[in-house]
Amino acid sequence: MLRSDYHTHTPLCKHAEGEPEAFVAQAIQLGLHSYGIADHAPMPPELEPFDDWRMLYAELPLYKEWIMRAKKAAAHTPLRVLSALECDWLLGIEPWIQRLRQEHEWDYLIGSVHYLPNEKAVDNSIYADSSITGSVEEDWKQYWASMQGLVESGLFDVVGHIDLVKIWGRSPQGDLATYYRPTLDALEGSGMAVEINTAGWHKKCLEQYPSEAILTELLRRRIPILINADAHYPEHLSRGWDDAIALLQRLTNNKLTQFEHPVSGGKTTLLAYGSL
């Protein structure tokens, strides 16, 4: 099967390293069909500085230049280089996402939830301390309500690390499907794809995003699946792809198929996976 990685970052997010030529060289060495650049999108200038792990709005021209360097490095090779953003979903953010869409002819947009409505940063290491995390049930309730809103907005092409809320290994008791089922219902017929984000294997949760239970449901509902590494360094490109393929093969009883999934009005296609 062809290999790709559509969720990768650049040094502009302030927690990644590597020049575009190094990422492209690694992608070519791995035999990737597609290398998608999807760094953390800026927040509205009036909210800056919002946090310390994303580009500023004024840096968007530098980001576009970075992408052009990658495309130039991949010229005359089979590697396809795509341009994208990973956008944070917050209450009332819709006009800003629509504005970002008009800033460039992006091939796709990834939508992610990093912040709860109470402004808690889901993946901030401070919340690994159980003495200050607060109610895990309330965190999950708020997180999945935000994720459902993200899907229902219709503004994105790909859902990023759909169950990031579990990053610190904290999950409520009982049937977890009661939290995420409305989001999966919203995904059906949406045209969106959901990534297997292999970075979860290197976090405290020690599990890919999404969990096997969610992944099984996505496959059953025939929602397109991508395999992404969330790479912040060239050497992390496509990390865990073989293990993700093995997982999908097991969950589909070796009836895994690969197909071209159209996004953004059909202008771009992404390599996706599903069950025969």
Side-chain angles (χ1 to χ4, degrees), residues 59 80 93 106 145 157 202 214 230 251 266:
E59 293 175 319
R80 185 174 66 153
I93 200 68
W106 310 109
D157 306 297
H202 308 279
I214 295 176
D230 208 338
L251 294 180

Side-chain angles (χ1 to χ4, degrees), residues 66-103:
W66 205 96
I67 292 169
M68 291 308 299
R69 284 175 58 190
K71 287 179 177 287
K72 182 177 180 180
H76 312 299
T77 79
L79 179 66
R80 185 174 66 153
V81 177
L82 300 180
S83 63
L85 290 169
E86 181 185 8
C87 304
D88 277 81
W89 175 257
L90 300 170
L91 290 176
I93 200 68
E94 295 93 329
W96 178 245
I97 303 301
Q98 291 167 344
R99 177 175 167 181
L100 284 176
R101 265 207 181 273
Q102 298 169 0
E103 291 279 353

Side-chain angles (χ1 to χ4, degrees), residues 62-171:
L62 294 177
Y63 183 54
K64 296 173 189 177
E65 180 182 326
W66 205 96
I67 292 169
M68 291 308 299
R69 284 175 58 190
K71 287 179 177 287
K72 182 177 180 180
H76 312 299
T77 79
L79 179 66
R80 185 174 66 153
V81 177
L82 300 180
S83 63
L85 290 169
E86 181 185 8
C87 304
D88 277 81
W89 175 257
L90 300 170
L91 290 176
I93 200 68
E94 295 93 329
W96 178 245
I97 303 301
Q98 291 167 344
R99 177 175 167 181
L100 284 176
R101 265 207 181 273
Q102 298 169 0
E103 291 279 353
H104 184 72
E105 290 190 14
W106 310 109
D107 292 299
Y108 57 95
L109 292 184
I110 298 175
S112 298
V113 174
H114 290 98
Y115 290 92
L116 302 183
N118 61 9
E119 300 185 0
K120 179 186 286 189
V122 174
D123 56 352
N124 190 321
S125 60
I126 190 174
Y127 298 115
D129 182 349
S130 60
S131 67
I132 59 174
T133 48
S135 167
V136 63
E137 291 81 8
E138 185 60 26
D139 282 356
W140 273 60
K141 181 180 177 180
Q142 290 193 33
Y143 178 87
W144 283 105
S146 292
M147 184 58 72
Q148 182 180 348
L150 181 158
V151 173
E152 291 176 344
S153 75
L155 292 171
F156 306 101
D157 306 297
V158 179
V159 180
H161 39 61
I162 192 169
D163 55 351
L164 181 69
V165 68
K166 72 182 181 190
I167 186 171
W168 304 114
R170 302 170 63 240
S171 301

